[in-house]
Amino acid sequence: MKWKQQIVDMKAYQPGKPMEEVKKEFGLEEVVKLASNENPYGFSPKVKALLASDHSDHAIYPDGYAQILRTAVAKHLNVNETQLLFGNGSDDLIAIVTRALLYPGVNTVMATPSFSQYRHNAEVEGAEVREVPLAKGKHDLAAMLDEIDENTSVVWVCNPNNPTGTIVSDAELQDFLKKVPKEVLVVLDEAYYEYVNSPDYKDTLSYVNEYPNVIILRTFSKAYGLASFRVGYGIAQEEVISKLDPVRAPFNNTILSQKVATVALADQAFIEECKEKNEIGKKQFEQFCEKHGLNYYPSQTNFILFEVKADSDVVFKEMMQRGFIIRSGNALGISDYIRVTIGTEEQNDKFLSLLEEVLVDQGVFA
């Protein structure tokens, strides 16, 4: 068969082990997944009520335009409905952008380490990938600008960044956007937007009106707790959306996913409550790191990347045997570090207590 040459040796995305598999493998009754940055508090009670009473007809196609959800999001953000693009999660939107704008002969610029799907989708399309190392865990925007040339088509800014949780400040981003050529699309991936509390981080919606080459990506998978429903959305000027929309697959959000996202969006009190609890959990991890002299990246998300001064693959396996699934830094391109989703206060206490035992066994602590 005539496969694209660039996918011959490509590996598929490798998610973490399912909780049921871990239970079976290690004979555990309970497993806590702190690997994929889901909301440990689940979703809004209003969504739960909807699911208990919904009688959607799943034999018919959903609204391909997602009109009800579109109207709700537009009102919430105070943007025009024609400025929105909905995807089957943010991953879908990333694939739409790359399919529309990347091909052999053009290049795309991104930070590393950052979200793996930028590179993955660019390689599928045969575009040149230009990766710029992070500077102290943050995007090096000046170095990224240096990589842009006449063949650059897309620049990715993951803000807050995954896996470090760090942000690009408003001042840095404004300076960057002023210098990026207008024919280059800048993707601001804000999957963790709702968790940010830094005064240096501005609501970037104003950039959409100011810069016709900016698109913002957000999701219902993280703070809203709707990861399995797969709803993401993009915000840009109408001309950008009109070019991307024909690339989108028809009916890419289900009837139920549109309904639950609409209901979840209306419960901002739940989002604020989750954000407050996340801040308390974050402090638990920061205090642990400071107590033991472990470096950590200042996170503006619901996860934290921190040093363990040991083989992170070993720590990953030891913690899994104890009932906690996390991400090894080796899998993220940062050795000797682990990335952990911030759980409930009780989950965090138990995790950190067990981690301390593991690091004592590894000779990190006396």
Side-chain angles (χ1 to χ4, degrees), residues 283-325:
K283 286 182 174 61
Q284 290 176 271
F285 282 91
E286 292 173 347
Q287 289 168 0
F288 177 87
C289 290
E290 288 164 4
K291 172 186 173 182
H292 292 294
L294 302 174
N295 184 49
Y296 65 91
Y297 290 97
S299 176
Q300 289 290 314
T301 66
N302 69 333
F303 62 83
I304 185 166
L305 180 72
F306 63 97
E307 182 184 32
V308 288
K309 295 183 179 178
D311 187 327
S312 53
D313 281 348
V314 172
V315 174
F316 161 76
K317 291 174 184 175
E318 290 291 331
M319 291 306 299
M320 188 160 56
Q321 290 177 29
R322 289 164 173 78
F324 283 90
I325 306 173

Side-chain angles (χ1 to χ4, degrees), residues 209-358:
N209 294 326
E210 189 175 353
Y211 299 97
N213 61 328
V214 167
I215 184 169
I216 298 168
L217 306 185
R218 292 182 183 173
T219 183
F220 284 92
S221 295
K222 303 302 180 184
Y224 287 93
L226 301 177
S228 70
F229 288 98
R230 314 307 300 125
V231 184
Y233 60 96
I235 315 146
Q237 289 193 14
E238 184 176 349
E239 184 178 354
V240 172
I241 298 297
S242 67
K243 291 291 192 299
L244 293 173
D245 201 29
V247 182
R248 176 181 61 86
F251 313 117
N252 62 335
N253 294 120
T254 67
I255 291 174
L256 199 52
S257 67
Q258 292 176 26
K259 285 186 176 183
V260 297
T262 303
V263 170
L265 185 68
D267 193 356
Q268 289 300 307
F270 174 76
I271 299 300
E272 286 303 312
E273 181 183 349
C274 291
K275 183 175 179 177
E276 289 172 8
K277 290 178 178 177
N278 184 71
E279 287 301 307
I280 293 171
K282 192 191 302 181
K283 286 182 174 61
Q284 290 176 271
F285 282 91
E286 292 173 347
Q287 289 168 0
F288 177 87
C289 290
E290 288 164 4
K291 172 186 173 182
H292 292 294
L294 302 174
N295 184 49
Y296 65 91
Y297 290 97
S299 176
Q300 289 290 314
T301 66
N302 69 333
F303 62 83
I304 185 166
L305 180 72
F306 63 97
E307 182 184 32
V308 288
K309 295 183 179 178
D311 187 327
S312 53
D313 281 348
V314 172
V315 174
F316 161 76
K317 291 174 184 175
E318 290 291 331
M319 291 306 299
M320 188 160 56
Q321 290 177 29
R322 289 164 173 78
F324 283 90
I325 306 173
I326 58 173
R327 288 299 297 268
S328 164
N330 287 328
L332 301 168
I334 303 178
S335 60
D336 303 331
Y337 280 69
I338 56 174
R339 192 194 69 187
V340 184
T341 304
I342 297 168
T344 66
E345 189 170 358
E346 182 182 4
Q347 289 171 344
N348 298 336
D349 276 337
K350 185 176 180 181
F351 172 83
L352 292 170
S353 176
L354 291 171
L355 177 62
E356 192 166 38
E357 292 179 9
V358 169

Side-chain angles (χ1 to χ4, degrees), residues 55-201:
H55 300 290
S56 298
D57 185 352
H58 295 288
I60 65 173
Y61 285 107
D63 173 10
Y65 194 61
Q67 184 61 68
I68 294 175
L69 177 58
R70 181 179 297 272
T71 299
V73 173
K75 182 178 180 181
H76 178 69
L77 299 177
N78 194 28
V79 299
N80 296 328
E81 293 183 8
T82 51
Q83 289 183 266
L84 297 172
L85 179 71
F86 289 91
N88 187 28
S90 291
D91 299 320
D92 187 27
L93 296 169
I94 292 166
I96 288 170
V97 168
T98 55
R99 189 177 181 192
L101 285 160
L102 298 181
Y103 46 86
V106 302
N107 67 68
T108 180
V109 177
M110 63 194 69
T112 185
S114 193
F115 188 44
S116 62
Q117 293 305 290
Y118 310 146
R119 180 183 183 94
H120 178 83
N121 282 278
E123 289 180 336
V124 168
E125 300 303 330
E128 177 193 351
V129 175
R130 297 183 176 181
E131 292 183 309
V132 176
L134 298 175
K136 297 181 180 178
K138 293 178 54 178
H139 282 62
D140 188 342
L141 295 182
M144 290 174 70
L145 275 171
D146 289 340
E147 290 296 321
I148 296 173
D149 62 19
E150 66 277 6
N151 294 318
T152 303
S153 185
V154 181
V155 176
W156 307 86
V157 179
C158 189
N159 194 30
N161 185 50
N162 180 6
T164 55
T166 55
I167 59 167
V168 171
S169 72
D170 175 54
E172 293 169 316
L173 190 55
Q174 281 204 54
D175 183 63
F176 179 73
L177 292 175
K178 288 174 183 176
K179 296 174 181 177
V180 175
K182 300 307 176 190
E183 67 274 12
V184 175
L185 182 70
V186 178
V187 181
L188 303 179
D189 187 348
E190 298 181 348
Y192 300 93
Y193 161 78
E194 288 83 6
Y195 287 108
V196 179
N197 64 1
S198 171
D200 295 329
Y201 188 95

